[in-house]
Coordinates of all heavy atoms in Angstrom, one line a residue:
M8 N -6.3 -33.8 -26.1 CA -7.8 -33.7 -26.0 C -8.4 -35.0 -26.6 O -9.4 -35.5 -26.0 CB -8.3 -32.5 -26.7 CG -8.0 -31.2 -26.0 SD -8.8 -29.7 -26.8 CE -7.7 -29.5 -28.1
L9 N -7.9 -35.4 -27.7 CA -8.4 -36.6 -28.3 C -8.3 -37.8 -27.4 O -9.2 -38.6 -27.2 CB -7.8 -36.9 -29.7 CG -8.2 -35.9 -30.7 CD1 -7.4 -36.2 -32.0 CD2 -9.7 -35.8 -31.0
E10 N -7.1 -37.9 -26.7 CA -6.9 -39.0 -25.8 C -7.9 -39.0 -24.7 O -8.4 -40.0 -24.2 CB -5.4 -39.0 -25.3 CG -5.1 -40.1 -24.3 CD -5.1 -41.5 -24.9 OE1 -4.8 -41.6 -26.1 OE2 -5.5 -42.4 -24.2
L11 N -8.1 -37.8 -24.1 CA -9.1 -37.7 -23.0 C -10.5 -38.0 -23.4 O -11.2 -38.7 -22.7 CB -9.0 -36.3 -22.4 CG -9.7 -36.0 -21.1 CD1 -9.3 -37.0 -20.0 CD2 -9.5 -34.6 -20.7
I12 N -10.9 -37.5 -24.6 CA -12.2 -37.9 -25.1 C -12.4 -39.4 -25.2 O -13.4 -40.0 -24.8 CB -12.5 -37.2 -26.5 CG1 -12.8 -35.7 -26.3 CG2 -13.7 -37.8 -27.2 CD1 -12.9 -34.9 -27.6
Y13 N -11.4 -40.0 -25.8 CA -11.4 -41.5 -26.0 C -11.3 -42.2 -24.7 O -12.1 -43.1 -24.4 CB -10.2 -41.9 -26.9 CG -10.1 -43.4 -27.1 CD1 -11.1 -44.0 -27.9 CD2 -9.2 -44.1 -26.5 CE1 -11.0 -45.4 -28.1 CE2 -9.1 -45.5 -26.6 CZ -10.0 -46.1 -27.4 OH -9.9 -47.5 -27.6
A14 N -10.4 -41.8 -23.8 CA -10.2 -42.6 -22.6 C -11.4 -42.5 -21.6 O -11.7 -43.4 -20.9 CB -8.9 -42.0 -21.9
A15 N -12.0 -41.3 -21.6 CA -13.1 -41.1 -20.6 C -14.4 -41.2 -21.2 O -15.4 -41.1 -20.5 CB -12.9 -39.7 -19.9
G16 N -14.5 -41.3 -22.5 CA -15.8 -41.4 -23.2 C -16.6 -40.1 -23.1 O -17.8 -40.1 -22.9
L17 N -15.9 -38.9 -23.2 CA -16.5 -37.6 -23.0 C -17.1 -37.1 -24.3 O -16.7 -37.4 -25.4 CB -15.4 -36.6 -22.6 CG -14.7 -36.8 -21.3 CD1 -13.7 -35.7 -21.0 CD2 -15.7 -36.9 -20.1
R18 N -18.2 -36.4 -24.1 CA -18.8 -35.6 -25.2 C -17.9 -34.4 -25.4 O -17.2 -33.9 -24.5 CB -20.2 -35.2 -24.9 CG -21.1 -36.4 -24.7 CD -22.5 -35.8 -24.3 NE -23.4 -36.9 -24.0 CZ -23.6 -37.5 -22.9 NH1 -22.9 -37.1 -21.8 NH2 -24.5 -38.5 -22.7
V19 N -17.9 -33.8 -26.6 CA -17.1 -32.6 -26.8 C -17.6 -31.5 -25.9 O -16.7 -30.8 -25.3 CB -17.3 -32.1 -28.3 CG1 -16.6 -30.7 -28.5 CG2 -16.7 -33.1 -29.2
S20 N -18.9 -31.4 -25.6 CA -19.4 -30.3 -24.7 C -18.8 -30.6 -23.3 O -18.6 -29.6 -22.5 CB -20.9 -30.3 -24.7 OG -21.4 -31.6 -24.3
E21 N -18.7 -31.8 -22.9 CA -18.1 -32.1 -21.6 C -16.6 -31.8 -21.5 O -16.1 -31.2 -20.5 CB -18.3 -33.6 -21.2 CG -19.8 -34.0 -21.0 CD -20.0 -35.5 -20.9 OE1 -19.2 -36.3 -21.5 OE2 -21.0 -35.8 -20.2
L22 N -15.9 -32.1 -22.6 CA -14.5 -31.8 -22.7 C -14.2 -30.3 -22.5 O -13.4 -29.8 -21.8 CB -13.9 -32.3 -24.0 CG -12.4 -31.9 -24.2 CD1 -11.6 -32.9 -23.4 CD2 -12.1 -31.9 -25.7
V23 N -15.0 -29.5 -23.3 CA -14.7 -28.0 -23.3 C -15.1 -27.3 -22.0 O -14.7 -26.2 -21.7 CB -15.3 -27.3 -24.6 CG1 -14.7 -27.9 -25.8 CG2 -16.8 -27.4 -24.6
S24 N -16.0 -28.0 -21.3 CA -16.4 -27.4 -20.0 C -15.6 -27.8 -18.8 O -15.8 -27.3 -17.7 CB -17.9 -27.7 -19.8 OG -18.1 -29.1 -19.5
L25 N -14.6 -28.7 -19.0 CA -13.8 -29.1 -17.9 C -13.0 -27.9 -17.3 O -12.4 -27.1 -18.0 CB -12.8 -30.2 -18.4 CG -13.3 -31.6 -18.6 CD1 -12.2 -32.5 -19.2 CD2 -13.9 -32.2 -17.4
K26 N -12.9 -27.9 -16.0 CA -12.1 -27.0 -15.3 C -10.9 -27.7 -14.8 O -10.8 -28.9 -14.7 CB -12.9 -26.4 -14.1 CG -14.2 -25.8 -14.4 CD -14.1 -24.6 -15.3 CE -15.5 -23.9 -15.5 NZ -15.7 -23.5 -16.9
Q27 N -9.8 -26.9 -14.4 CA -8.6 -27.6 -14.0 C -8.8 -28.5 -12.8 O -8.2 -29.5 -12.6 CB -7.5 -26.5 -13.7 CG -7.1 -25.8 -15.0 CD -5.9 -24.9 -14.8 OE1 -5.0 -25.3 -14.1 NE2 -6.0 -23.7 -15.3
G28 N -9.7 -28.0 -11.9 CA -10.0 -28.8 -10.7 C -10.8 -30.1 -10.9 O -11.0 -30.9 -10.0
D29 N -11.3 -30.3 -12.1 CA -12.1 -31.4 -12.5 C -11.3 -32.7 -12.8 O -11.8 -33.8 -12.9 CB -13.0 -31.2 -13.7 CG -14.1 -30.2 -13.4 OD1 -14.5 -30.0 -12.2 OD2 -14.6 -29.6 -14.4
V30 N -10.0 -32.5 -12.9 CA -9.1 -33.6 -13.3 C -8.1 -33.8 -12.1 O -7.4 -32.9 -11.7 CB -8.3 -33.2 -14.6 CG1 -7.3 -34.3 -14.9 CG2 -9.2 -32.9 -15.7
D31 N -8.1 -35.0 -11.7 CA -7.1 -35.4 -10.6 C -6.2 -36.5 -11.2 O -6.6 -37.7 -11.4 CB -7.9 -36.0 -9.4 CG -6.9 -36.3 -8.3 OD1 -5.7 -36.3 -8.5 OD2 -7.4 -36.5 -7.1
V32 N -5.0 -36.1 -11.6 CA -4.1 -37.0 -12.3 C -3.5 -38.0 -11.3 O -3.0 -39.1 -11.7 CB -2.9 -36.3 -13.0 CG1 -3.5 -35.5 -14.2 CG2 -2.1 -35.4 -12.1
H33 N -3.6 -37.7 -10.0 CA -3.0 -38.6 -9.0 C -3.9 -39.9 -8.8 O -3.4 -41.0 -8.6 CB -2.8 -37.9 -7.7 CG -1.8 -36.8 -7.8 ND1 -0.5 -36.9 -8.0 CD2 -2.1 -35.4 -7.7 CE1 0.1 -35.7 -8.1 NE2 -0.8 -34.8 -7.9
T34 N -5.2 -39.6 -8.9 CA -6.2 -40.7 -8.7 C -6.7 -41.3 -10.1 O -7.3 -42.3 -10.1 CB -7.4 -40.3 -7.9 OG1 -8.1 -39.3 -8.5 CG2 -7.0 -39.9 -6.5
G35 N -6.4 -40.5 -11.1 CA -6.8 -40.9 -12.5 C -8.3 -40.8 -12.7 O -8.9 -41.6 -13.3
V36 N -8.9 -39.7 -12.1 CA -10.3 -39.5 -12.2 C -10.6 -38.1 -12.8 O -10.0 -37.1 -12.4 CB -11.0 -39.7 -10.9 CG1 -12.5 -39.3 -10.9 CG2 -10.8 -41.1 -10.4
V37 N -11.6 -38.1 -13.7 CA -12.1 -36.8 -14.3 C -13.6 -36.7 -13.8 O -14.3 -37.6 -13.9 CB -12.1 -36.8 -15.8 CG1 -12.7 -35.6 -16.4 CG2 -10.6 -36.9 -16.3
V38 N -13.9 -35.5 -13.3 CA -15.3 -35.2 -13.0 C -15.9 -34.4 -14.1 O -15.4 -33.3 -14.3 CB -15.4 -34.5 -11.6 CG1 -16.9 -34.1 -11.3 CG2 -14.8 -35.3 -10.5
C39 N -16.8 -34.9 -14.8 CA -17.4 -34.1 -15.9 C -18.9 -33.8 -15.7 O -19.5 -34.5 -14.9 CB -17.2 -34.8 -17.2 SG -18.0 -36.4 -17.4
H40 N -19.3 -32.7 -16.3 CA -20.7 -32.3 -16.1 C -21.4 -32.5 -17.5 O -21.1 -31.8 -18.4 CB -20.7 -30.9 -15.6 CG -19.9 -30.7 -14.3 ND1 -20.4 -31.0 -13.1 CD2 -18.7 -30.3 -14.2 CE1 -19.5 -30.8 -12.2 NE2 -18.4 -30.4 -12.8
G41 N -22.3 -33.4 -17.5 CA -22.9 -33.7 -18.8 C -24.3 -33.1 -18.9 O -24.6 -32.1 -18.4
K42 N -25.1 -33.8 -19.7 CA -26.5 -33.4 -20.0 C -27.3 -33.2 -18.7 O -27.2 -34.0 -17.8 CB -27.2 -34.4 -20.9 CG -26.6 -34.4 -22.3 CD -27.4 -35.4 -23.1 CE -26.9 -35.4 -24.6 NZ -27.7 -36.4 -25.4
G43 N -28.1 -32.2 -18.6 CA -28.9 -32.0 -17.5 C -28.1 -31.6 -16.2 O -28.5 -31.9 -15.1
S44 N -26.9 -31.1 -16.4 CA -26.0 -30.8 -15.3 C -25.7 -32.0 -14.4 O -25.4 -31.8 -13.2 CB -26.6 -29.6 -14.5 OG -26.7 -28.5 -15.3
K45 N -25.8 -33.2 -15.0 CA -25.4 -34.4 -14.2 C -23.9 -34.5 -14.1 O -23.2 -34.3 -15.1 CB -26.0 -35.6 -14.8 CG -27.5 -35.7 -14.8 CD -28.0 -37.0 -15.4 CE -29.5 -37.0 -15.4 NZ -30.1 -38.2 -16.1
E46 N -23.5 -34.8 -12.9 CA -22.0 -35.0 -12.7 C -21.7 -36.4 -12.7 O -22.4 -37.3 -12.1 CB -21.7 -34.4 -11.3 CG -20.2 -34.4 -11.0 CD -19.9 -33.8 -9.6 OE1 -20.0 -32.6 -9.5 OE2 -19.6 -34.6 -8.7
R47 N -20.6 -36.8 -13.3 CA -20.1 -38.2 -13.3 C -18.6 -38.2 -13.2 O -17.9 -37.3 -13.7 CB -20.6 -38.9 -14.5 CG -20.1 -38.4 -15.9 CD -20.8 -39.2 -17.0 NE -20.4 -38.6 -18.3 CZ -19.7 -39.3 -19.2 NH1 -19.3 -40.5 -19.0 NH2 -19.4 -38.7 -20.3
R48 N -18.2 -39.2 -12.5 CA -16.7 -39.4 -12.2 C -16.3 -40.5 -13.1 O -16.9 -41.6 -13.1 CB -16.5 -39.7 -10.8 CG -16.9 -38.6 -9.8 CD -16.9 -39.0 -8.4 NE -15.5 -39.4 -7.9 CZ -14.5 -38.6 -7.6 NH1 -14.7 -37.3 -7.7 NH2 -13.3 -39.1 -7.3
V49 N -15.3 -40.2 -13.9 CA -14.8 -41.2 -14.9 C -13.3 -41.5 -14.8 O -12.5 -40.5 -14.7 CB -15.0 -40.6 -16.4 CG1 -14.7 -41.6 -17.4 CG2 -16.5 -40.1 -16.5
P50 N -13.0 -42.7 -14.7 CA -11.5 -43.1 -14.6 C -10.8 -42.9 -16.0 O -11.5 -43.0 -17.0 CB -11.5 -44.5 -14.2 CG -12.8 -45.1 -14.7 CD -13.8 -43.9 -14.7
I51 N -9.6 -42.5 -15.9 CA -8.8 -42.3 -17.1 C -7.5 -43.1 -17.0 O -7.0 -43.4 -15.9 CB -8.5 -40.8 -17.5 CG1 -7.8 -40.1 -16.3 CG2 -9.8 -40.1 -17.9 CD1 -7.3 -38.7 -16.7
G52 N -6.9 -43.5 -18.1 CA -5.7 -44.4 -18.1 C -4.4 -43.6 -18.0 O -4.4 -42.3 -18.1
K53 N -3.4 -44.3 -18.0 CA -2.0 -43.7 -17.9 C -1.7 -42.9 -19.1 O -1.0 -41.8 -19.0 CB -1.0 -44.8 -17.8 CG -1.0 -45.6 -16.5 CD 0.0 -46.7 -16.4 CE -0.1 -47.5 -15.1 NZ 0.8 -48.6 -15.1
S54 N -2.1 -43.2 -20.3 CA -1.8 -42.4 -21.5 C -2.5 -41.1 -21.4 O -1.9 -40.1 -21.7 CB -2.3 -43.2 -22.7 OG -2.0 -42.4 -23.9
A55 N -3.7 -41.0 -21.0 CA -4.5 -39.8 -20.9 C -3.8 -38.9 -19.8 O -3.6 -37.7 -20.0 CB -5.9 -40.0 -20.6
I56 N -3.4 -39.5 -18.7 CA -2.8 -38.8 -17.6 C -1.4 -38.2 -18.1 O -1.1 -37.0 -17.8 CB -2.5 -39.7 -16.4 CG1 -3.9 -40.0 -15.7 CG2 -1.6 -39.1 -15.4 CD1 -3.8 -41.1 -14.7
H57 N -0.7 -39.0 -18.8 CA 0.6 -38.5 -19.4 C 0.4 -37.3 -20.3 O 1.1 -36.3 -20.1 CB 1.2 -39.7 -20.2 CG 2.3 -39.2 -21.1 ND1 3.6 -38.9 -20.7 CD2 2.3 -38.9 -22.5 CE1 4.3 -38.4 -21.7 NE2 3.6 -38.4 -22.8
W58 N -0.6 -37.3 -21.2 CA -0.8 -36.2 -22.1 C -1.4 -35.0 -21.3 O -1.0 -33.8 -21.7 CB -1.7 -36.6 -23.2 CG -1.0 -37.5 -24.2 CD1 -1.2 -38.8 -24.4 CD2 0.2 -37.1 -25.0 NE1 -0.2 -39.3 -25.3 CE2 0.6 -38.3 -25.7 CE3 0.8 -35.9 -25.2 CZ2 1.6 -38.2 -26.6 CZ3 1.9 -35.9 -26.1 CH2 2.3 -37.1 -26.8
L59 N -2.2 -35.2 -20.3 CA -2.6 -34.1 -19.5 C -1.5 -33.4 -18.8 O -1.4 -32.2 -18.7 CB -3.7 -34.5 -18.5 CG -5.1 -34.8 -19.1 CD1 -6.0 -35.5 -18.1 CD2 -5.7 -33.5 -19.5
Q60 N -0.6 -34.2 -18.2 CA 0.6 -33.6 -17.5 C 1.5 -32.9 -18.5 O 2.0 -31.8 -18.2 CB 1.3 -34.7 -16.8 CG 0.6 -35.3 -15.6 CD 1.2 -36.5 -15.0 OE1 1.8 -37.3 -15.6 NE2 1.1 -36.6 -13.6
R61 N 1.7 -33.5 -19.7 CA 2.5 -32.8 -20.7 C 1.9 -31.5 -21.1 O 2.6 -30.5 -21.2 CB 2.7 -33.7 -21.9 CG 3.6 -33.2 -22.9 CD 4.2 -34.2 -23.8 NE 5.0 -33.5 -24.8 CZ 5.4 -34.1 -25.9 NH1 5.0 -35.3 -26.2 NH2 6.1 -33.4 -26.7
Y62 N 0.6 -31.5 -21.4 CA -0.1 -30.3 -21.7 C 0.0 -29.2 -20.6 O 0.3 -28.0 -20.9 CB -1.6 -30.6 -22.0 CG -2.5 -29.3 -22.2 CD1 -2.4 -28.6 -23.4 CD2 -3.4 -28.9 -21.2 CE1 -3.2 -27.5 -23.6 CE2 -4.1 -27.8 -21.4 CZ -4.1 -27.1 -22.6 OH -4.9 -26.0 -22.7
D63 N -0.1 -29.6 -19.4 CA 0.0 -28.7 -18.3 C 1.4 -28.1 -18.2 O 1.6 -26.9 -17.8 CB -0.4 -29.4 -17.0 CG -0.6 -28.4 -15.8 OD1 -1.4 -27.4 -16.0 OD2 0.0 -28.6 -14.8
S64 N 2.4 -28.9 -18.5 CA 3.8 -28.4 -18.4 C 4.2 -27.4 -19.5 O 5.1 -26.6 -19.3 CB 4.8 -29.6 -18.5 OG 4.8 -30.2 -19.7
I65 N 3.5 -27.4 -20.6 CA 3.8 -26.5 -21.7 C 2.9 -25.3 -21.8 O 3.1 -24.4 -22.6 CB 3.9 -27.2 -23.1 CG1 2.6 -27.8 -23.5 CG2 5.0 -28.3 -23.1 CD1 2.5 -28.3 -24.9
K66 N 1.8 -25.4 -21.0 CA 0.8 -24.3 -21.1 C 1.5 -23.0 -20.5 O 2.1 -23.1 -19.5 CB -0.4 -24.7 -20.2 CG -1.6 -24.0 -20.5 CD -2.9 -24.6 -19.9 CE -2.7 -25.1 -18.5 NZ -4.0 -25.5 -17.9
P67 N 1.3 -21.9 -21.1 CA 1.8 -20.6 -20.6 C 1.3 -20.4 -19.2 O 0.2 -20.7 -18.8 CB 1.3 -19.5 -21.5 CG 1.0 -20.3 -22.8 CD 0.6 -21.6 -22.4
A68 N 2.2 -19.8 -18.3 CA 1.8 -19.5 -16.9 C 0.5 -18.7 -16.7 O -0.2 -19.0 -15.8 CB 3.0 -18.8 -16.2
M69 N 0.3 -17.8 -17.6 CA -0.9 -16.9 -17.5 C -2.2 -17.8 -17.6 O -3.2 -17.6 -17.0 CB -0.9 -15.8 -18.5 CG 0.1 -14.7 -18.1 SD -0.3 -13.9 -16.5 CE -1.8 -13.1 -16.9
E70 N -2.1 -18.8 -18.5 CA -3.3 -19.6 -18.8 C -3.6 -20.5 -17.6 O -4.7 -20.9 -17.4 CB -3.1 -20.4 -20.1 CG -3.1 -19.6 -21.3 CD -3.0 -20.4 -22.6 OE1 -2.9 -21.6 -22.5 OE2 -3.0 -19.8 -23.7
S71 N -2.5 -20.8 -16.8 CA -2.8 -21.7 -15.6 C -3.6 -21.0 -14.6 O -4.1 -21.6 -13.7 CB -1.4 -22.1 -15.0 OG -0.7 -22.9 -15.9
L72 N -3.7 -19.7 -14.7 CA -4.5 -18.9 -13.7 C -6.0 -19.0 -14.0 O -6.8 -18.7 -13.1 CB -4.0 -17.4 -13.6 CG -2.6 -17.2 -13.3 CD1 -2.2 -15.8 -13.4 CD2 -2.3 -17.7 -11.9
L73 N -6.3 -19.3 -15.2 CA -7.8 -19.4 -15.6 C -8.3 -20.8 -15.2 O -7.6 -21.8 -15.1 CB -7.9 -19.2 -17.1 CG -7.4 -17.9 -17.7 CD1 -7.4 -17.9 -19.2 CD2 -8.3 -16.8 -17.1
P74 N -9.6 -20.8 -14.9 CA -10.2 -22.1 -14.4 C -10.4 -23.2 -15.4 O -10.3 -24.3 -15.1 CB -11.6 -21.6 -13.8 CG -11.9 -20.4 -14.6 CD -10.6 -19.7 -14.9
N75 N -10.5 -22.8 -16.7 CA -10.8 -23.8 -17.8 C -9.5 -24.6 -18.0 O -8.4 -24.1 -18.1 CB -11.2 -23.1 -19.0 CG -12.6 -22.4 -18.9 OD1 -12.7 -21.4 -18.2 ND2 -13.6 -23.0 -19.5
L76 N -9.7 -25.9 -18.2 CA -8.6 -26.8 -18.5 C -8.0 -26.5 -19.9 O -6.8 -26.4 -20.1 CB -9.0 -28.2 -18.4 CG -8.0 -29.3 -18.6 CD1 -6.8 -29.2 -17.6 CD2 -8.6 -30.7 -18.6
F77 N -8.9 -26.4 -20.9 CA -8.4 -26.2 -22.3 C -8.8 -24.8 -22.8 O -9.9 -24.4 -22.6 CB -9.0 -27.3 -23.2 CG -8.6 -28.7 -22.9 CD1 -9.4 -29.6 -22.4 CD2 -7.3 -29.1 -23.1 CE1 -9.0 -30.9 -22.1 CE2 -6.8 -30.3 -22.8 CZ -7.7 -31.3 -22.3
L78 N -7.8 -24.2 -23.4 CA -8.0 -22.8 -23.9 C -7.6 -22.7 -25.3 O -6.8 -23.5 -25.8 CB -7.1 -21.8 -23.0 CG -7.4 -21.8 -21.5 CD1 -6.3 -21.0 -20.8 CD2 -8.8 -21.3 -21.2
D79 N -8.2 -21.8 -26.0 CA -7.9 -21.5 -27.4 C -7.4 -20.1 -27.5 O -8.3 -19.2 -27.4 CB -9.1 -21.8 -28.3 CG -8.8 -21.6 -29.7 OD1 -7.6 -21.6 -30.1 OD2 -9.8 -21.5 -30.5
R80 N -6.1 -19.9 -27.6 CA -5.5 -18.5 -27.7 C -5.9 -17.7 -26.4 O -6.3 -16.5 -26.5 CB -6.0 -17.8 -29.0 CG -5.5 -18.5 -30.2 CD -6.0 -17.8 -31.5 NE -5.6 -18.6 -32.6 CZ -6.5 -19.4 -33.3 NH1 -7.7 -19.5 -32.9 NH2 -6.1 -20.1 -34.3
G81 N -5.8 -18.3 -25.3 CA -6.0 -17.6 -24.0 C -7.5 -17.5 -23.6 O -7.8 -16.9 -22.6
K82 N -8.4 -18.0 -24.4 CA -9.8 -17.9 -24.1 C -10.4 -19.3 -23.9 O -9.9 -20.3 -24.5 CB -10.6 -17.2 -25.2 CG -10.2 -15.8 -25.4 CD -10.9 -15.1 -26.5 CE -10.4 -13.7 -26.6 NZ -11.1 -13.0 -27.8
P83 N -11.4 -19.5 -23.1 CA -12.0 -20.8 -22.9 C -12.4 -21.5 -24.2 O -13.0 -20.8 -25.1 CB -13.3 -20.6 -22.0 CG -13.0 -19.3 -21.3 CD -12.1 -18.5 -22.3
L84 N -12.0 -22.7 -24.4 CA -12.4 -23.5 -25.6 C -13.9 -23.7 -25.6 O -14.5 -23.9 -24.6 CB -11.6 -24.8 -25.5 CG -11.7 -25.7 -26.7 CD1 -10.9 -25.0 -27.9 CD2 -11.0 -27.0 -26.4
T85 N -14.4 -23.6 -26.8 CA -15.8 -24.0 -27.0 C -15.9 -25.1 -28.0 O -15.0 -25.4 -28.8 CB -16.6 -22.7 -27.5 OG1 -16.2 -22.4 -28.8 CG2 -16.5 -21.5 -26.6
A86 N -17.1 -25.7 -28.1 CA -17.3 -26.7 -29.1 C -17.2 -26.2 -30.5 O -17.0 -27.0 -31.5 CB -18.7 -27.4 -28.9
N87 N -17.4 -24.9 -30.7 CA -17.3 -24.3 -32.0 C -16.0 -23.6 -32.3 O -15.9 -22.9 -33.3 CB -18.5 -23.3 -32.2 CG -19.8 -24.0 -32.2 OD1 -19.9 -25.1 -32.7 ND2 -20.8 -23.4 -31.6
S88 N -15.0 -23.7 -31.4 CA -13.7 -23.0 -31.6 C -13.0 -23.5 -32.8 O -13.1 -24.7 -33.1 CB -12.8 -23.3 -30.4 OG -13.3 -22.6 -29.2
H89 N -12.4 -22.7 -33.5 CA -11.6 -23.1 -34.7 C -10.2 -22.8 -34.3 O -9.7 -21.7 -34.3 CB -12.0 -22.3 -35.9 CG -13.3 -22.5 -36.4 ND1 -13.7 -23.7 -37.1 CD2 -14.5 -21.9 -36.3 CE1 -14.9 -23.7 -37.4 NE2 -15.5 -22.6 -36.9
G90 N -9.5 -23.9 -34.0 CA -8.1 -23.7 -33.6 C -7.3 -24.9 -34.1 O -7.7 -25.7 -34.9
P91 N -6.0 -25.0 -33.7 CA -5.1 -26.0 -34.2 C -5.5 -27.4 -33.8 O -5.2 -28.4 -34.5 CB -3.8 -25.7 -33.5 CG -4.1 -24.8 -32.3 CD -5.4 -24.1 -32.7
H92 N -6.3 -27.6 -32.8 CA -6.8 -28.9 -32.4 C -7.7 -29.5 -33.5 O -7.6 -30.7 -33.7 CB -7.5 -28.9 -31.1 CG -8.6 -27.9 -31.0 ND1 -8.4 -26.6 -30.9 CD2 -10.0 -28.1 -31.2 CE1 -9.6 -25.9 -30.9 NE2 -10.5 -26.8 -31.1
K93 N -8.4 -28.7 -34.2 CA -9.3 -29.2 -35.3 C -8.4 -29.5 -36.5 O -8.7 -30.4 -37.3 CB -10.4 -28.3 -35.6 CG -11.5 -28.3 -34.5 CD -12.6 -27.4 -34.8 CE -13.7 -27.5 -33.7 NZ -14.8 -26.6 -34.0
E94 N -7.5 -28.6 -36.8 CA -6.7 -28.7 -38.0 C -5.8 -30.0 -37.8 O -5.5 -30.7 -38.8 CB -5.7 -27.5 -38.1 CG -6.5 -26.2 -38.4 CD -5.7 -25.0 -38.2 OE1 -4.5 -25.1 -38.0 OE2 -6.3 -23.9 -38.3
A95 N -5.4 -30.4 -36.6 CA -4.6 -31.6 -36.4 C -5.4 -32.8 -36.8 O -4.8 -33.8 -37.1 CB -4.2 -31.6 -35.0
C96 N -6.7 -32.8 -36.7 CA -7.5 -33.9 -37.1 C -7.6 -34.1 -38.6 O -8.0 -35.2 -39.0 CB -8.9 -33.8 -36.5 SG -8.9 -33.8 -34.7
G97 N -7.2 -33.1 -39.4 CA -7.3 -33.2 -40.8 C -8.7 -33.2 -41.4 O -8.9 -33.9 -42.4
K98 N -9.6 -32.6 -40.7 CA -11.0 -32.6 -41.1 C -11.5 -31.2 -41.2 O -11.1 -30.3 -40.4 CB -11.8 -33.4 -40.1 CG -13.3 -33.5 -40.5 CD -14.0 -34.5 -39.6 CE -15.4 -34.6 -40.0 NZ -16.2 -35.4 -39.1
D99 N -12.4 -30.9 -42.2 CA -13.0 -29.6 -42.3 C -14.2 -29.6 -41.4 O -15.1 -30.3 -41.5 CB -13.4 -29.4 -43.7 CG -14.1 -28.0 -43.9 OD1 -13.9 -27.1 -43.0 OD2 -14.7 -27.8 -44.9
W100 N -14.1 -28.7 -40.3 CA -15.2 -28.7 -39.3 C -16.2 -27.6 -39.6 O -17.0 -27.3 -38.7 CB -14.5 -28.5 -37.9 CG -13.7 -29.6 -37.5 CD1 -12.4 -29.9 -37.9 CD2 -14.1 -30.7 -36.7 NE1 -12.0 -31.0 -37.4 CE2 -13.0 -31.6 -36.6 CE3 -15.2 -31.1 -36.0 CZ2 -13.0 -32.7 -35.9 CZ3 -15.3 -32.2 -35.3 CH2 -14.2 -33.0 -35.2
S101 N -16.1 -26.9 -40.7 CA -17.0 -25.8 -41.0 C -18.5 -26.2 -41.1 O -18.8 -27.3 -41.5 CB -16.6 -25.1 -42.3 OG -15.3 -24.7 -42.2

């Protein structure tokens, strides 16, 4: 997630609203929906593509059936989710 935020210059709200169909690892493009429902196409690099493919390969099969790209314990991730992704940053997000 951090690599994608950095590589594509995404806001957290854009990251958590990404759907699986918004990311095309073959062309290296992410379609994100930002402020005012504006859609923008953003290129991403090889490192972000690598981590997205790795994430997809370890995601449980049931989670692959949901439209959201990132999930927190089987539910769509939100900007206020408290999960391991925040703990990994070593920061108190409360």
Side-chain angles (χ1 to χ4, degrees):
M8 285 188 285
L9 293 175
E10 179 65 33
L11 188 56
I12 285 175
Y13 176 73
L17 299 179
R18 297 174 183 91
V19 173
S20 61
E21 292 171 332
L22 177 82
V23 299
S24 67
L25 285 176
K26 306 292 184 225
Q27 292 188 47
D29 293 337
V30 178
D31 186 345
V32 294
H33 301 292
T34 60
V36 173
V37 173
V38 177
C39 61
H40 306 277
K42 293 181 176 181
S44 299
K45 292 182 183 174
E46 181 180 292
R47 60 188 176 113
R48 299 173 57 80
V49 183
I51 56 173
K53 292 178 184 177
S54 181
I56 291 169
H57 164 78
W58 288 110
L59 284 168
Q60 290 173 324
R61 185 163 177 196
Y62 172 74
D63 192 52
S64 72
I65 63 170
K66 198 166 45 169
M69 289 298 292
E70 290 184 1
S71 295
L72 301 175
L73 298 172
N75 294 71
L76 181 61
F77 295 111
L78 302 171
D79 184 15
R80 297 178 188 101
K82 297 180 182 175
L84 188 66
T85 67
N87 296 323
S88 294
H89 293 284
H92 54 282
K93 289 185 178 177
E94 293 165 9
C96 295
K98 183 174 179 180
D99 181 15
W100 295 82
S101 305

